[in-house]
Amino acid sequence: MRARSARLLLGAGLAAGMLAAAPAASAERPPGLAKQDTLAWLAPDDLEIGAAVAGGGHHQNQDYPPPFYEDEEYRELLATEFTSLTPENQLKWDFVHPAPDEYNFEAADDIVAFAEENGQDVRGHVLIWHSQNPAWLEEGDYTDAELRGILRDHITTVVGRYAGQIDQWEVANEIFDGSGNLRTEENIWLRELGPGIIADAFRWAHEAAPEAELFLNDYGAEGINAKSDAYYQLAQDLLADGVPIHGMGLQAHLGLMYGFDPSLQENLQRFDDLGLATAITELDVRMELPESGEPTPAQIAEQAEWFSSTLEACVAVEGCQSFTLWGASDLYSWVPHTFEGQGSATPWTEDLERKPAYCALQQTLAEATQPQRYAHHPAHEECRQLLG
């Protein structure tokens, strides 16, 4: 992870240069507030605050232009609010490797360059997964040896291209089901090559980028349950075999209708006790919306509490050094396109206005780093009013 001082210098210069182009509401803030009234400014030195960069996937079928390239206000928000970025779909197999002999790196290259310009880290997502694989891979008639060669070439090519630029990789994603069983039917790699391919993938990624941290990653494993137990055992087995695994990522795609698991911190801590880094990798908090399409005051308040509680759990665990939101605008959120009738899952509205969820994150960071200073900061008053 890069030095915090470098990020702050870059962020300060960027914010100063953007004041003239900022929305009217931002332009009315006191001088200097634009660079300080952010999650990035308030984050502890050892905690990266990240966001998924919208692109690929469902975005390709929407009536808006590519967000990262065409929405300048969205780009400004990515540059100023966050210290880490994750390509949302731009490094998934179907996007980056659309044909057997073809790689499409343009979008990922642009995100990495943007992050470099703004002093940000990048997380790589994802190398092994059962979803969003191209038809040529899933429907191909390959021998086991050919499949191993395809996977090794993909990992070596993709990870190697960004060696020294992408700091953390989610190597094996969603490999267990909710009962803690390996997805041996859905996942082509596990089905055809067996569970040993997991260790091979970590070794190949490490060879391609020896300085990168390599993670397991999944949803529904936030608390202590059958799925997270399976990952806990797998992590121990990989470590015992000398496999270069460095972290456990908990996606945290949460829903108000399912309840918040209070064992999140305890779960993070047990992976930390193994000597692994931990991370919240894809946090959003969705809800079932009323017919009006607008969340109720009770939903808004509960959502803010859940964002805050998730961040508090991460801050409380020493090895939790990366906290990523899966989206920085409801307009670009994957939720409404995947879960009918659900939405409002990010801390920003479709118009990039801050919700109470945003202020809950901001205040949680302030309490961890500079509570006295923040208490007298204009941003505190704005959020105090928003939170009521």
Side-chain angles (χ1 to χ4, degrees), residues 18-240:
M18 285 167 43
L19 281 174
S26 298
E28 295 172 0
R29 291 174 179 164
L33 183 57
K35 66 176 180 292
Q36 296 180 353
D37 182 18
T38 63
L39 301 178
W41 181 72
L42 287 163
D45 290 352
D46 60 353
L47 178 64
E48 301 296 337
I49 298 294
V53 178
H58 77 273
H59 302 287
Q60 295 173 301
N61 301 319
Q62 303 308 305
D63 58 4
Y64 49 70
F68 181 68
Y69 293 103
E70 301 293 337
D71 189 335
E72 287 300 322
E73 188 176 358
Y74 174 71
R75 285 173 64 90
E76 290 174 4
L77 185 144
L78 291 176
T80 55
E81 289 283 354
F82 302 104
T83 63
S84 173
L85 301 176
T86 302
E88 183 181 9
N89 295 288
Q90 298 92 332
L91 283 171
K92 291 175 181 174
W93 271 77
D94 61 352
F95 190 99
V96 79
H97 200 165
D101 299 318
E102 178 185 347
Y103 285 91
N104 174 21
F105 288 117
E106 183 178 1
D109 284 353
D110 290 342
I111 293 170
V112 169
F114 180 88
E116 290 284 347
E117 291 170 4
N118 294 292
Q120 297 166 310
D121 287 340
V122 180
R123 290 183 64 89
H125 176 78
V126 59
L127 301 177
I128 288 183
W129 192 24
H130 66 274
S131 184
Q132 290 184 241
N133 288 325
W136 69 262
L137 174 64
E138 291 285 354
E139 300 171 8
D141 184 18
Y142 301 106
T143 66
D144 290 357
E146 288 171 332
L147 269 180
R148 282 180 59 84
I150 289 170
L151 181 58
R152 183 167 191 171
D153 176 78
H154 178 92
I155 291 175
T156 300
T157 301
V158 176
V159 176
R161 182 180 184 87
Y162 299 108
Q165 295 179 296
I166 290 185
D167 308 281
Q168 298 178 331
W169 278 96
E170 287 150 16
V171 175
N173 188 55
E174 300 176 11
I175 57 174
F176 289 106
D177 64 21
S179 298
N181 300 310
L182 284 171
R183 294 180 184 264
T184 52
E185 293 301 318
E186 298 169 281
N187 189 306
I188 185 174
W189 311 111
L190 297 176
R191 182 179 67 244
E192 304 299 330
L193 303 177
I197 197 63
I198 299 168
D200 289 337
F202 274 90
R203 293 189 178 104
W204 295 333
H206 182 65
E207 290 172 0
E211 296 182 0
E213 291 185 317
L214 307 178
F215 281 69
L216 297 163
N217 191 57
D218 212 327
Y219 70 92
E222 291 76 29
I224 295 178
N225 54 34
K227 181 182 278 193
S228 63
D229 283 347
Y231 277 106
Y232 186 66
Q233 184 60 57
L234 174 61
Q236 292 179 85
D237 293 343
L238 293 173
L239 289 169

